[in-house]
Amino acid sequence: MGRLLDYFLGKDGTRRLIIKRKDSDAGEAGRALEELRSSLFNDLRSSEGAKRQQQRLCGPSVALTFNFVVSVAIIMANKLVMGKVGFNYPIFLTLIHYISAWFLLAIFKALSLLPVSPPSKSTPFSSLFALGAVMSFSTGLANISLKHNSVGFYQMAKIAVTPTIVLAEFILFTKKVSFNKALSLAVVSVGVAVATVTDLEFNFFGACIALAWIVPSAINKILWSNLQQKGNWTALALMWKTTPTTIFFLLALMPWLDPPGVLSFAWDVNNTSAIAISALLGFLLQWSGALALGATSATSHVVLGQFKTCVILLGGYLIFSSDPGVLSICGAVTALCGMSVYTSLNLQEAKESSKLLPKQNSSLIKTKSNVAVVNLEKLEVKSDTTETVV
């Protein structure tokens, strides 16, 4: 009996050994979890680590899929807000979206979940200010164009964004497009034009707004993509820096472009809930769009928007038995074929660049090793000379 108590009490060391093993296992698991938390926290505390974390968790396919789903959802939400709810104030609705986004980003920053921005010396304030200003014109004019134009004319204006981006990137960054990619983009544009030509209605004021929207939209996408790919900016950090400027310009645009009567709107529970859902989706749309532009390019993001249009048109025809016409169906199919070719060309270029990168690294390593050997030989010669002199 005494021996049994000694065993359970651990006087002979056997039970104490078992408890130590369990404690050590729990300690190792706790240390591993703490190391994981600290690594994630350290990634968020530096702009380089935050960018690597974003690239690791959100690749091109994830970013484009995320943006596609949110884009379709916010179209439905905005149709509900502007149609059934009757909130016909596009600039003020955009302002609500950006104020909500800034409020959510402030919560992330208070909880230390917002990635750190790169040093101010790396990115001039003028670039961030220009991006915020261009973003206000891009999103605000897009909502006004959608309000005053038919869907067909709105899509025709979006088609003009593609050659504008190609021309602007060539002028600003001397970025060239291969003949095959240019041809596939032309096929996409023609297909979307044919698919939406049945809903083409002209409105002079709406046409002026659509033309004024093309250049800010193209520059907005180029700046977002360029700052994330060439700098250490993440999507959330860039949103945090540019959103206040966007809010300021939207406040300036609202009295000029929105109709009067926003203060007399019926802010009941149902209407406010619908606008709140639209605001949340607006934040997700801005975030997903920034992720897509950072992971791909401005041209790919425009092609994704045209892909969304064709999918909605074909989905309505196949699922809801809508009849857009044979011409529109053929145009949508043609556009999808052009998008497939463009995507395959992008993937082929990515594979070729990934194959060239290891060769460049290996040549760089060989060069460094040769330099090290030469330096070592020089040191040996110097040591021999010293011994001779002595």
Side-chain angles (χ1 to χ4, degrees), residues 85-106:
V85 174
F87 192 80
N88 296 317
Y89 309 98
I91 298 295
F92 188 59
L93 181 62
T94 308
L95 179 63
I96 293 174
H97 288 181
Y98 279 96
I99 290 176
S100 302
W102 187 83
F103 180 72
L104 291 174
L105 291 172

Side-chain angles (χ1 to χ4, degrees), residues 58 132 138 151 223 256 259 269 284 290 295 298 378:
C58 191
S138 176
V151 177
L223 290 178
W256 298 94
V269 177
L284 295 177
K378 290 181 179 180

Side-chain angles (χ1 to χ4, degrees), residues 7 42 68 141 152 177 202 246 257 267 274 278 325 329 335 339 373 384:
Y7 172 77
N42 290 332
F68 175 77
L141 293 177
V177 180
F202 181 79
T246 305
L257 297 176
W267 293 93
S278 175
I329 297 297
M339 293 171 195
V373 170
D384 293 339

Side-chain angles (χ1 to χ4, degrees), residues 3-23:
R3 291 181 179 179
L4 186 60
L5 289 174
D6 291 338
Y7 172 77
F8 281 108
L9 292 175
K11 291 183 179 180
D12 59 350
T14 307
R15 188 60 177 171
R16 188 179 295 115
L17 181 61
I18 297 174
I19 295 175
K20 284 184 178 180
R21 287 178 182 175
K22 290 182 179 179
D23 290 340

Side-chain angles (χ1 to χ4, degrees), residues 81-83 86-90 147 258-259 265:
V81 170
M82 293 187 179
F87 192 80
N88 296 317
Y89 309 98
K147 176 185 177 182
D258 265 356
F265 181 75

